[in-house]
Amino acid sequence: MKTIQFREAICEAMSEEMRRDESIYLMGEEVAEYNGAYKASKGMLDEFGAKRVIDTPIAELGFAGIAIGSTMTGNRPIVEYMTFNFSLVGIDQIINNAAKIRQMSGGQFKCPIVFRGPTASAGQLAATHSQAFENWFANTPGLKVVVPSNPYDAKGLLKSAIRDDDPVIFMESEQMYGDKGEVPEGEYTIPLGVAEIKREGTDVTIVSFGKIIKEAYKAAEELEKDGISCEIIDLRTVRPLDKKTVLESVKKTNRLVVLEEAWPFGNVSTELTYIVQSEAFDYLDAPVVKINTADTPAPYSPVLLAEWLPNHESVIKAVKKVMYKK
């Protein structure tokens, strides 16, 4: 094993796949000459050249459409958005073209494309640069949605996403690019749609994904001091959703808390709550509790932002609620 940063894991995954398959190319703002806005494509222009690592204008609708169209002629593009907030400019291409090409062509065309970049908040970036759109994309049939939380998962999942014959939304975080973790020296992939139990426990199941899962780890450490054993599941992929792993855990612990950085109305945690009450109701010893952001645009003020975001104290409070403890 070796220890690398999250950004290096992303770069390694893309580079390894591009060496393996010449139909793969990277396109986006500042991915080439600048080595990526977050240095996640460092050195790739030098290795693969300007025909396969392509700087674009600030025109998300345009380059998303070019990339999607190129899949119909045998290419497998990776599109980097500087942030998924900017994907809204090109969302018509993602929802109405990428997600629907296979069905609307009667299976004559597939659309092997990865849209990747950071999601959710990253400090004082204010309302229009702090939004989480995982559930928006996950709501769309035809798209797969991946949200890794560490370098190991990021590399293995991104390699699988690039090899997938359907469009994949691969969502990262500005605040994770510097995170370090161990990854194998050799080749490995992680299948899409498979969650992982990151911490074994017996009293309560906590489900999360992406960078916010760090707050669940902090909470579990504190709760352990009070004799409460938390099982933590990292979904890793939110579409397809690995409900089997969640249901098996809930049947063991009999309690569920879902932590998600998203607005509270109609999100991934809402769907999980429905699935568990529908398929494991008799196993529940308490109502499911979901933890989300406040139901407002993200504030710029650091004081208000701290109140807006869920944190480990929010998780501790939720766990004690389902445990009927004060």
Side-chain angles (χ1 to χ4, degrees):
M1 302 288 278
K2 60 183 178 181
T3 300
I4 62 174
Q5 291 184 331
F6 192 104
R7 59 168 59 87
E8 293 173 306
I10 296 295
C11 187
E12 284 191 4
M14 294 190 293
S15 297
E16 288 174 14
E17 293 305 300
M18 287 175 69
R19 292 181 198 121
R20 189 183 64 86
D21 185 345
E22 291 189 356
S23 69
I24 300 169
Y25 68 90
L26 173 65
M27 171 187 280
E29 295 156 2
E30 298 185 347
V31 299
E33 296 288 347
Y34 192 64
N35 287 311
Y38 312 105
K39 300 299 180 276
S41 53
K42 187 176 181 180
M44 292 180 66
L45 174 62
D46 293 338
E47 179 175 356
F48 300 105
K51 286 188 176 181
R52 296 184 67 196
V53 181
I54 305 167
D55 275 332
T56 67
I58 302 174
E60 288 81 4
L61 179 66
F63 64 77
I66 290 169
I68 293 166
S70 78
T71 67
M72 303 174 77
T73 59
N75 293 289
R76 306 180 73 89
I78 305 166
V79 172
E80 176 177 312
Y81 289 121
M82 198 174 293
T83 159
F84 265 97
N85 294 283
F86 302 159
S87 75
L88 299 190
V89 183
I91 201 168
D92 177 60
Q93 290 291 340
I94 300 171
I95 303 298
N96 284 328
N97 289 326
K100 296 177 174 61
I101 282 173
R102 186 188 286 271
Q103 185 192 45
M104 293 182 71
S105 69
Q108 294 178 82
F109 292 103
K110 56 189 179 182
C111 188
I113 186 170
V114 174
F115 298 96
R116 50 157 296 269
T119 183
S121 66
Q124 289 180 263
L125 298 180
T128 61
H129 287 197
S130 302
Q131 302 167 107
F133 295 117
E134 293 91 318
N135 58 306
W136 285 32
F137 291 113
N139 185 250
T140 304
L143 297 179
K144 297 177 181 179
V145 182
V146 181
V147 195
S149 66
N150 59 78
Y152 175 84
D153 288 349
K155 182 176 179 181
L157 289 165
L158 183 52
K159 287 171 72 72
S160 293
I162 293 168
R163 297 181 189 187
D164 202 284
D165 282 338
D166 290 312
V168 179
I169 309 294
F170 194 92
M171 310 183 93
E172 304 153 14
S173 168
E174 290 103 322
Q175 292 181 323
M176 288 198 299
Y177 286 119
D179 288 359
K180 292 182 178 180
E182 289 189 339
V183 302
E185 292 280 358
E187 168 77 11
Y188 76 99
T189 59
I190 297 173
L192 305 186
V194 179
E196 184 178 38
I197 297 173
K198 298 292 191 181
R199 179 187 174 111
E200 298 276 354
T202 56
D203 294 326
V204 59
T205 299
I206 303 173
V207 178
S208 191
F209 56 90
K211 80 172 193 295
I212 200 70
I213 198 172
K214 295 176 183 179
E215 300 301 318
Y217 296 142
K218 292 177 190 175
E221 292 291 332
E222 290 295 315
L223 288 162
E224 189 174 35
K225 298 173 185 176
D226 293 335
I228 298 173
S229 173
C230 300
E231 181 147 295
I232 299 177
I233 297 175
D234 188 344
L235 288 178
R236 304 196 293 193
T237 305
V238 299
R239 183 74 180 259
L241 184 68
D242 182 4
K243 67 177 184 179
K244 180 182 177 183
T245 296
V246 175
L247 289 170
E248 287 177 353
S249 178
V250 170
K251 288 176 182 179
K252 178 178 71 173
T253 66
N254 310 116
R255 296 171 175 85
L256 175 62
V257 171
V258 189
L259 171 63
E260 177 187 8
E261 185 181 341
W263 293 310
F265 189 90
N267 51 36
V268 176
S269 52
T270 304
E271 182 66 16
L272 266 177
T273 300
Y274 171 77
I275 290 170
V276 170
Q277 69 82 29
S278 175
E279 300 186 34
F281 181 80
D282 290 340
Y283 291 88
L284 289 172
D285 287 343
V288 177
V289 174
K290 67 188 191 81
I291 309 167
N292 302 122
T293 67
D295 197 12
T296 68
Y300 175 75
S301 159
V303 176
L304 293 177
L305 183 63
E307 289 296 316
W308 183 82
L309 267 174
N311 57 36
H312 72 283
E313 293 177 352
S314 311
V315 179
I316 290 171
K317 183 179 178 181
V319 168
K320 289 186 174 181
K321 182 177 181 180
V322 299
M323 295 291 298
Y324 301 110
K325 292 179 181 288
K326 292 185 179 179

